[in-house]
Amino acid sequence: MAKPFLLGVLGGMGPLAAVDFQHQLLQAVNSQSDQQQIPMVVWNVPQIPDRQQALAGTGPSPLPQLIDGIEKLNRVGASHIVMACNTAHHWFEALQAASQAPLLHIADATAEAVAALSPTSVGLIATQGTLDAGWFQQRFARHGIETLLPTATEIRDYFVPGCYAVKRGEVAAGGELLARQAQALLDRGAERLVLACTEVPLALRAADWQPPRKAIDPAEAMAALCASLWQQQQTLF
Amino acid sequence: MAKPFLLGVLGGMGPLAAVDFQHQLLQAVNSQSDQQQIPMVVWNVPQIPDRQQALAGTGPSPLPQLIDGIEKLNRVGASHIVMACNTAHHWFEALQAASQAPLLHIADATAEAVAALSPTSVGLIATQGTLDAGWFQQRFARHGIETLLPTATEIRDYFVPGCYAVKRGEVAAGGELLARQAQALLDRGAERLVLACTEVPLALRAADWQPPRKAIDPAEAMAALCASLWQQQQTLF
């Protein structure tokens, strides 16, 4: 007998993004009743080293805490595990190796959502670590889609201070800075934006900024993938 | 050595209320960084029988599923457990008996929040099951605070149709009816209102109605209690 569907969400990076992602999961299921919603367990423990600092070599690795969360989610029967944080996907292979339950990769979910819109180019907003990893660009390229990246100056002046403002709770102020990053990519010709850092979509909303064409939110793409897996499973009964 | 602080949230009743409660927890902590937020694990599995039908004797008991959730939260090390649903507190004693970790009662948290405001009387808006259980009234009485209850007519004409409208998604229309319930209690002399049913605060907001003095939201009071326990624990180090 297959394990019953139970979505494990590895959160804490940050705690607000994990709550936001749960909202997206509820919205992704077209539900007539509570009972039709995705059964889930959420490990939302933010006492974990900063991922960006770890990747920059200026802080400890978050891997031990990430593995601990993965073990806890497996211990209570998670059938699938997702992470509501793009940067944490740097440790994806190590976490998959530590997990009985399969992990779903956020870039796979995003590439599917982007390909469905058939743009010729996208602008990618993400941390330096995520940009360097290349997992979004590689997947978009497989669909013939060009990826435009932020410049070093934009990252220094807009992206990094914008994200840290959001983390401090200054969401609208952070959104103003992130909107400049977004606009810079549009000005260089990006047809669509991929907001591959969980702080970005909520900060842009708080700053009341939106692009001319709907941006792709990887967390939303992941939520849609989870909803689709859950609904497929239900039709088996 | 004491067990590390880890808040277990038994959700699923309904899944949206559990997500809203996590927002309230984040807001209750006056945090400068992610790492200062409450570490938590959330069991949000909505495949659980309807609590109101179970209490009315017209449906199966949710107790087996509630105990399963409590066991899962204990298995991953929860140090304290809370439920973001007033009605589920009918099974509080049975769940406490099944749990190593202490459960915090929503009426204790509420009584503390109400007592801090020192009203002579409060109006209590809740389901018939919660009113009959008496757990709010008893605790308020210990603080010398009188509880005014909805009349049978008000429950029939305002509270019940108001709640069902909200559940159908007609949130503002439900809020209009619930506002009449709230106003009736104020007209009979309630100094403050206690909105002890998760639908009520959001419906009143949707109907753009607010009482002359800030109402007490038990879920918010519970979030404040959790934040206070977490912050006390941190000062021990």
Side-chain angles (χ1 to χ4, degrees):
Chain A
M1 207 184 99
K3 191 185 259 189
F5 192 98
L6 175 65
L7 184 66
V9 178
L10 185 59
M13 307 171 283
L16 179 58
V19 177
D20 216 43
F21 180 62
Q22 293 172 67
H23 259 301
Q24 291 175 312
L25 285 168
L26 292 176
Q27 281 162 0
V29 176
N30 186 10
S31 162
Q32 297 302 307
S33 76
D34 285 354
Q35 276 79 4
Q36 291 173 5
Q37 287 289 355
I38 302 176
M40 65 181 98
V41 55
V42 184
W43 185 256
N44 202 359
V45 174
Q47 287 72 37
I48 179 168
D50 187 286
R51 281 71 56 202
Q52 298 195 42
Q53 287 178 9
L55 290 172
T58 58
S61 169
L63 187 58
Q65 283 84 354
L66 289 171
I67 287 181
D68 181 55
I70 291 286
E71 282 174 355
K72 297 291 168 50
L73 293 173
N74 274 281
R75 198 183 296 172
V76 292
S79 63
H80 301 75
I81 294 178
V82 295
M83 293 188 285
C85 168
N86 288 278
T87 308
H89 282 72
H90 279 277
W91 294 274
F92 185 87
E93 280 76 22
L95 296 177
Q96 182 58 83
S99 180
Q100 272 194 289
L103 271 71
L104 310 179
H105 198 297
I106 199 163
D108 286 330
T110 305
E112 224 172 277
V114 168
L117 299 167
S118 313
T120 53
S121 67
V122 293
L124 178 61
I125 302 184
T127 60
Q128 190 64 57
T130 300
L131 297 177
D132 291 346
W135 55 58
F136 283 103
Q137 300 94 304
Q138 289 156 13
R139 284 166 174 85
F140 299 158
R142 271 178 233 146
H143 292 282
I145 299 162
E146 187 196 0
T147 307
L148 302 173
L149 302 178
T151 64
T153 313
E154 289 163 6
I155 289 177
R156 188 196 60 205
D157 295 347
Y158 305 147
F159 179 78
V160 170
C163 282
Y164 279 96
V166 177
K167 284 180 194 290
R168 276 196 309 272
E170 298 164 18
V171 183
E176 302 279 347
L177 285 165
L178 292 166
R180 292 192 204 177
Q181 174 65 82
Q183 192 59 54
L185 287 162
L186 292 173
D187 291 347
R188 288 208 295 286
E191 238 178 81
R192 297 263 186 179
L193 295 172
V194 175
L195 312 178
C197 179
T198 41
E199 272 90 10
V200 178
L202 64 103
L204 291 179
R205 273 196 298 277
D208 207 18
W209 185 90
Q210 49 185 9
R213 292 176 186 192
K214 191 177 181 304
I216 292 96
D217 174 351
E220 197 180 307
M222 181 73 105
L225 176 64
C226 293
S228 151
L229 286 173
W230 160 241
Q231 285 164 334
Q232 278 165 35
Q233 153 115 4
Q234 284 186 294
T235 60
L236 297 178
F237 298 113
Chain B
M1 206 183 99
K3 190 185 260 191
F5 191 97
L6 176 66
L7 184 67
V9 178
L10 184 58
M13 306 171 285
L16 179 58
V19 177
D20 281 343
F21 179 63
Q22 292 172 67
H23 259 301
Q24 290 175 312
L25 285 168
L26 292 176
Q27 281 162 359
V29 176
N30 186 9
S31 163
Q32 296 303 305
S33 76
D34 286 354
Q35 277 79 4
Q36 291 173 5
Q37 286 289 355
I38 302 177
M40 64 182 95
V41 55
V42 184
W43 185 257
N44 201 359
V45 174
Q47 287 72 36
I48 179 169
D50 187 284
R51 280 70 58 203
Q52 298 200 40
Q53 286 179 11
L55 290 174
T58 59
S61 169
L63 187 58
Q65 283 83 354
L66 290 171
I67 287 180
D68 181 57
I70 292 285
E71 283 174 354
K72 297 290 169 47
L73 293 172
N74 274 282
R75 200 182 296 171
V76 292
S79 63
H80 302 75
I81 294 178
V82 295
M83 294 188 285
C85 168
N86 287 278
T87 308
H89 282 73
H90 280 277
W91 293 274
F92 186 87
E93 280 76 21
L95 296 177
Q96 183 57 83
S99 180
Q100 273 194 287
L103 270 71
L104 309 179
H105 198 297
I106 198 164
D108 286 329
T110 306
E112 224 172 276
V114 168
L117 299 167
S118 312
T120 54
S121 68
V122 293
L124 178 61
I125 302 183
T127 61
Q128 190 65 56
T130 299
L131 297 177
D132 291 346
W135 56 56
F136 283 103
Q137 300 94 303
Q138 288 155 13
R139 284 166 174 86
F140 299 158
R142 271 178 234 147
H143 291 281
I145 298 161
E146 187 196 0
T147 308
L148 301 173
L149 302 178
T151 65
T153 313
E154 288 163 6
I155 288 177
R156 188 195 61 203
D157 295 347
Y158 304 148
F159 179 78
V160 171
C163 280
Y164 278 97
V166 177
K167 283 181 195 287
R168 277 197 309 273
E170 299 164 18
V171 183
E176 301 279 346
L177 286 165
L178 293 166
R180 292 193 204 177
Q181 174 65 82
Q183 191 59 55
L185 287 162
L186 293 173
D187 291 346
R188 288 209 296 287
E191 241 179 76
R192 297 265 186 179
L193 294 172
V194 175
L195 311 178
C197 179
T198 41
E199 273 89 10
V200 179
L202 64 104
L204 291 178
R205 272 196 298 278
D208 208 18
W209 185 90
Q210 49 184 9
R213 292 176 185 193
K214 191 176 181 303
I216 293 96
D217 174 350
E220 198 181 307
M222 181 72 106
L225 175 64
C226 294
S228 151
L229 285 173
W230 161 240
Q231 285 164 334
Q232 278 166 34
Q233 153 116 7
Q234 284 184 294
T235 60
L236 298 178
F237 298 112

